[in-house]
Amino acid sequence: AIAPRFDDASIFSEGLASVKIDKKKGYIDHSGKLVIPAIYDDAKPFREGLAQVLINGKYGLNGFIDRTGKMVIPAQYGDATNFSDGVAAVKTKTGWLLIDRSGKQIIDREFKAPTIFSEGLAPIMVDKKIGYMDMKGNMVIPPKFAAGSIFVNGLAPVKKGEKCGFIDKQGNMVIDADYDWDQRSIDMFVFYYMTFGKYVKNVPGVL
């Protein structure tokens, strides 16, 4: 057990959990030892060996640290997503970029909104329709859906008309669009997937 001595704490992810001490956040291990100093204004869960951290106040800059606390991607972004499939979206003054775990931009263009790669594909909006692109920026499933989310176990939910169905990675509708589209539930699933990753994919009954 870890004694209740922190102002706030998050779940453990990849062996570490962020904790709040005197308005700043750092990370503890399973023994409760502070292994990364509480020097950040925010500290997100680790994903794929990196964690998003915030410096310079609530509206400061975001970067990524490794499990030793080293800032491997400098804090220079207004916002960011967790890493998924080795890719994160980061916000600049003019738009969103997609970067790899070294901080290198993987697609030579900006996006109007962040997206998340999962199983090699990411949903992207083109002319108010959702399609799916690969990590080179190639559109592999044409933009023809009213909405869509990430792939998990080879399937992705998409909105056709006002209904929800599921497509495979070739864009084939393998589960007919006969279900109500619930954006809130889908957003919650993506949040948990981005937080827990592989654990969500192994939950019975999830996609």
Side-chain angles (χ1 to χ4, degrees):
I2 298 175
R5 63 182 187 275
F6 305 111
D7 297 314
D8 196 7
S10 75
I11 61 166
F12 276 91
S13 178
E14 300 184 6
L16 299 177
S18 69
V19 294
K20 188 175 183 181
I21 304 173
D22 296 332
K23 297 183 179 181
K24 294 289 186 179
K25 290 186 176 182
Y27 293 85
I28 60 171
D29 62 17
H30 282 291
S31 73
K33 179 182 178 181
L34 190 68
V35 293
I36 297 177
I39 58 175
Y40 305 107
D41 294 295
D42 198 9
K44 300 293 180 62
F46 274 87
R47 278 296 308 272
E48 301 186 1
L50 298 177
Q52 177 189 347
V53 293
L54 177 70
I55 64 171
N56 297 344
K58 182 178 180 180
Y59 302 104
L61 297 171
N62 293 270
F64 292 86
I65 61 171
D66 64 17
R67 288 170 52 82
T68 71
K70 179 182 178 182
M71 186 77 76
V72 295
I73 298 176
Q76 57 185 323
Y77 302 110
D79 200 359
T81 68
N82 283 339
F83 275 88
S84 178
D85 265 14
V87 179
V90 292
K91 188 178 183 180
T92 69
K93 291 182 179 180
T94 56
W96 289 83
L97 305 176
L98 296 172
I99 61 171
D100 63 19
R101 294 178 71 256
S102 71
K104 181 181 178 182
Q105 188 176 345
I106 67 166
I107 297 174
D108 189 22
R109 57 175 284 203
E110 286 188 340
F111 298 89
K112 293 181 179 179
T115 190
I116 298 168
F117 274 96
S118 175
E119 301 183 10
L121 298 177
I124 189 73
M125 181 169 284
V126 179
D127 295 330
K128 298 182 180 180
K129 294 291 185 180
I130 291 291
Y132 289 80
M133 68 178 181
D134 63 19
M135 291 189 184
K136 294 182 179 180
N138 300 315
M139 191 68 70
V140 297
I141 298 176
K144 57 184 177 181
F145 304 107
S149 191
I150 59 175
F151 277 91
V152 178
N153 295 339
L155 299 177
V158 294
K159 186 178 182 182
K160 186 176 181 180
E162 294 300 318
K163 295 293 186 176
C164 175
F166 289 82
I167 59 171
D168 62 18
K169 291 186 184 179
Q170 287 72 48
N172 301 310
M173 188 74 73
V174 294
I175 299 177
D176 291 338
D178 295 330
Y179 306 94
D180 291 336
W181 180 267
D182 187 341
Q183 188 65 56
R184 182 180 179 186
S185 294
I186 289 174
D187 289 345
M188 289 178 63
F189 174 79
V190 172
F191 170 78
Y192 281 106
Y193 176 84
M194 291 299 293
T195 302
F196 297 102
K198 63 182 180 181
Y199 303 108
V200 171
K201 290 195 289 184
N202 292 329
V203 174
V206 174
L207 295 186

